[in-house]
Amino acid sequence: MRILVMGGTWFLGRAVVEAALARGWDVTVFNRGRSGTAPEGVRWVRGDRSVGEDVARLAGAGSWDAVVDTSASEMAPRDVLAGARALEPVAERYVFVSTVNAYRGWPSEPLTEDSELLDGPPDADADYGRLPEGWDGPDWYYGRQKAGAERAVLAAFGEQRTALLRPGVILGPGEYVGRLPWWLRRAARGGRMLAPGSPERSVQPVDVRDVAGFALDQAVDDRGGAYNVVAPVGRETMGGFLAACVLATGGETQLVWAPEKVLLDHGVRQWTELPLWRTHLGVWRVDSARAQAAGLVCRPLSETVADTWAWLRGGGMAVEHPRWAEHGITAEREAEILAALGR
């Protein structure tokens, strides 16, 4: 099996490459080389996918049985379209890693793969969907861009030759966003730790290695389709997640659960100050039955937590990314809220 991985040097892209090599596949990676070097055992083609000459040179290095695209998070749909069209003659299938943000209803309502997508066109530029000054409604910019990128791949490869993967939150060793690492380091610090909402609240993070394995499975499948790549609804909870963080780190930590109203009254920023906490109805109600029927297996969240802590303790360093600094509440803010709880 010959595959081309767009990206391939960090987090999901690297997990895809490592899993493909473990299967004995022939792997080519294409990237700029700014986020690390390619793993040993691959053919490395360096270039910028937004530069037509670089993409044409890449196409000349083909052919492949499948493309696995993990690096389009900041690509305009029209650049994805140009790249997909250039690769279509030299690749049999295209596996595109999108996001649940492409749905119009996320995170406000429960979702299936049949839920309505946002309106990004396949030839949109990077400015499509930007919010006007003073806008106070939903921020759909990123989702519109990703919906447009999905349509770009479909326009080039068609439905049967395209697999669209829509993960929610991806965690695991190598995470660059900083959600799980923040919780782990906070748990390791010990003491009374602010826990958001209800311990029974369902959560659906998926391990990066499970996304990688599912992407490779879709590279060899002869069907097309879209898949929500998230853990099953109701299997994991916020309480179980935070308990796993405490257990993995061995911290002398007491979880103190704060009602959501208290957190909202204190102006706690959802999704970032207390990572993974969000009050919206649909944020953790994304149906993944179709992906599970197609072979998605999600390991227990406690395993992801333990392996990520082992990675951090072993000197693991994520690729520098500005989103890391967004996550986590300050010790002073946490103490203030804990004091207000009076327990």
Side-chain angles (χ1 to χ4, degrees):
M1 183 76 178
R2 290 168 49 86
I3 67 165
L4 167 64
V5 180
M6 306 292 278
T9 58
W10 61 315
F11 201 38
L12 178 57
R14 195 172 194 91
V16 168
V17 170
E18 291 173 350
L21 291 174
R23 297 186 185 195
W25 292 6
D26 182 297
V27 181
T28 301
V29 299
F30 178 72
N31 56 59
R32 297 172 296 181
R34 297 180 182 177
S35 301
T37 59
E40 291 186 11
V42 307
R43 180 167 52 145
W44 189 8
V45 180
R46 298 182 68 163
D48 188 328
R49 59 185 297 175
S50 66
V51 177
E53 293 83 356
D54 289 357
V55 175
R57 178 168 48 85
L58 171 65
S63 60
W64 298 278
D65 297 302
V67 178
V68 181
D69 190 347
T70 68
S71 67
S73 61
E74 298 177 4
M75 296 291 300
R78 69 177 182 184
D79 292 327
V80 176
L81 178 62
R85 283 175 170 167
L87 292 172
E88 188 275 332
V90 294
E92 292 299 317
R93 293 183 56 74
Y94 204 111
V95 179
F96 182 72
V97 181
S98 183
T99 170
V100 294
N101 292 72
Y103 291 113
R104 180 175 294 276
W106 194 86
S108 300
E109 60 190 50
L111 298 170
T112 73
E113 288 88 352
D114 296 322
S115 298
E116 181 184 3
L117 294 177
L118 289 165
D119 58 351
D123 58 351
D125 62 18
D127 288 326
Y128 184 85
R130 290 197 187 278
L131 302 175
E133 187 175 351
W135 174 261
D136 61 357
D139 185 354
W140 283 335
Y141 170 71
Y142 178 65
R144 281 173 163 166
Q145 289 280 308
K146 294 303 285 261
E150 287 189 14
R151 294 185 178 103
V153 176
L154 288 168
F157 276 77
E159 291 187 3
Q160 188 165 349
R161 297 168 62 199
T162 301
L164 302 171
L165 277 52
R166 297 175 184 142
V169 172
I170 304 176
L171 302 178
E175 184 198 336
Y176 65 91
V177 176
R179 296 181 177 108
L180 177 50
W182 184 85
W183 277 117
L184 284 165
R185 288 169 174 158
R186 173 61 191 89
R189 197 168 76 234
R192 300 169 72 238
M193 185 170 86
L194 187 64
S198 166
E200 303 303 318
R201 178 73 180 270
S202 174
V203 295
Q204 294 180 273
V206 62
D207 190 289
V208 62
R209 295 162 293 186
D210 297 333
V211 180
F214 186 69
L216 295 182
D217 292 343
Q218 297 314 300
V220 298
D221 200 323
D222 60 1
R223 297 168 295 178
Y227 301 94
N228 294 330
V229 187
V230 298
V233 174
R235 194 189 76 176
E236 308 285 356
T237 64
M238 181 63 81
F241 167 68
L242 293 184
C245 290
V246 173
L247 179 63
T249 60
E252 295 291 330
T253 307
Q254 175 191 355
L255 298 177
V256 181
W257 292 92
E260 291 183 338
K261 184 178 186 306
V262 172
L263 300 176
L264 294 172
D265 288 346
H266 280 81
V268 176
R269 294 192 308 277
Q270 298 187 47
W271 211 232
T272 54
E273 274 196 288
L274 293 174
L276 306 184
W277 168 65
R278 203 164 188 170
T279 59
H280 300 74
L281 176 64
V283 65
W284 299 123
R285 293 183 64 186
V286 180
D287 182 76
S288 60
R290 184 183 296 177
Q292 293 169 54
L296 174 65
V297 177
C298 296
R299 70 194 67 201
L301 185 53
S302 59
E303 183 178 329
T304 302
V305 169
D307 289 351
T308 303
W309 181 241
W311 168 70
L312 290 169
R313 292 277 288 175
M317 294 290 293
V319 173
E320 291 188 11
H321 195 280
R323 293 184 67 185
W324 190 284
E326 297 176 358
H327 293 91
I329 194 168
T330 65
E332 294 76 16
R333 285 263 289 156
E334 182 183 26
E336 175 189 337
I337 298 171
L338 287 170
L341 290 170
R343 51 185 171 85

